[in-house]
Amino acid sequence: MQMTVTEIRSTGALSDSRADWDAIAWGPVRHAVRRLQVRIAKAVRERRHAKAQALQWLLTHSYHAKLLAVKRVVSNKGRRTPGVDRKVWNTPRKKMLAVTTLRRHGYRSLPLRRVYIEKKNGKLRPLGIPTMRDRAMQALHALALVPVAETTGDPNSFGFREYRGCADAIAQCFICLAKKCSPRWVLEGDIRSCFDEINHDWLLRHIPTDTKVLGQWLRAGYLDKGMLYSTLAGTPQGGIISPVLANMTLDGLDAAVR
């Protein structure tokens, strides 16, 4: 029989962490987080920014959200790839204990571990790998930021967004190009080093999230071959929250193109 998160917490000690993690009923956990996300989106839509901020704070301190943040980190493709601390959460006990470490008070982000991925053209694409704890903190704050990004985002933005993908972009292209009066030309563009060049000061002024925590991620630096380098611009391409930050930075292109 499955236990709900509330029942797990009321039983007390983590005497059997394996049973605790494996017994979590994820349906109620996701439902609790989704309810808060809907309230955040509603507050943003109604331009009640103070209320949205308060709800975001509530979500990032929610036990349910912390559970989901850890689950995302330990379930994705990079779950076996450690950061600079060489730690991975590969046992039920570590996963349960990780939930208790996701606190704003005393939190300090560690530098990224720099790795290089070969591209099709032979060039190397640098990736910054955060520690498991930093990834989980990013996932936690992304849960509170995504409702804002989805409410304020451009209608014709399809990359790195929930429930959107290439098929939606293709469908929109068909709608725009299948008419007799449709444009005859398509403009394709690419932003050079998009993730690497985003201005930190702009992010801290305009992204509606905890700027103290965001600033730590942006300025954490990275380790490459034993040397520590500072990060003066950009967001780490290996960071969970980076796609959301990039999309919010690019919001407004729809209006600019028109």
Side-chain angles (χ1 to χ4, degrees), residues 19 21 74 83 98 145 163 193 212 241:
W21 181 261
V74 301
L145 186 58
Y163 311 115
S193 302
K212 180 180 179 181
I241 204 170

Side-chain angles (χ1 to χ4, degrees), residues 80-241:
R80 297 187 183 92
T81 305
V84 294
D85 60 355
R86 295 294 174 179
K87 293 180 180 179
V88 292
W89 298 336
N90 53 5
T91 67
R93 175 176 175 77
K94 289 180 180 178
K95 295 170 187 177
M96 286 303 297
L97 291 177
V99 176
T100 66
T101 68
L102 303 185
R103 299 186 301 269
R104 183 181 187 274
H105 181 70
Y107 171 71
R108 187 169 183 82
S109 177
L110 292 177
L112 307 169
R113 183 166 71 90
R114 176 58 60 91
V115 297
Y116 294 91
I117 306 297
E118 187 173 356
K119 300 168 67 174
K120 291 182 179 180
N121 59 9
K123 294 183 179 181
L124 296 177
R125 180 165 66 97
L127 287 181
I129 308 299
T131 64
M132 298 289 281
R133 187 190 181 200
D134 290 336
R135 275 177 254 177
M137 284 291 285
Q138 289 189 24
L140 177 63
H141 284 264
L143 286 172
L145 186 58
V146 164
V148 181
E150 288 298 310
T151 304
T152 61
D154 286 349
N156 293 316
S157 168
F158 299 100
F160 303 118
R161 294 183 67 176
E162 290 186 356
Y163 311 115
R164 291 193 176 201
C166 291
D168 301 296
I170 292 171
Q172 183 62 27
C173 287
F174 178 82
I175 292 171
C176 294
L177 301 174
K179 306 169 186 176
K180 290 183 178 180
C181 59
S182 294
R184 296 180 61 189
W185 296 92
V186 175
L187 175 65
E188 180 184 2
D190 187 17
I191 301 175
R192 180 181 299 170
S193 302
C194 176
F195 281 89
D196 298 331
E197 299 297 334
I198 297 176
N199 185 276
H200 285 176
D201 291 335
W202 188 94
L203 289 172
L204 293 170
R205 288 197 308 269
H206 294 91
I207 301 299
T209 189
D210 190 326
T211 54
K212 180 180 179 181
V213 178
L214 176 60
Q216 289 202 44
W217 296 330
L218 297 176
R219 296 163 181 160
Y222 64 92
L223 280 174
D224 188 7
K225 299 178 182 178
M227 294 289 292
L228 178 62
Y229 297 87
S230 59
T231 45
L232 303 178
T235 63
Q237 291 194 41
I240 287 177
I241 204 170

Side-chain angles (χ1 to χ4, degrees), residues 3-21 23-24 63 92-93 96-97 100:
M3 300 170 63
T4 65
V5 175
T6 304
E7 290 169 337
I8 290 171
R9 296 186 69 188
S10 64
T11 56
L14 299 177
S15 57
D16 186 356
S17 295
R18 177 179 296 276
D20 287 342
W21 181 261
I24 294 174
Y63 185 74
R93 175 176 175 77
M96 286 303 297
L97 291 177
T100 66

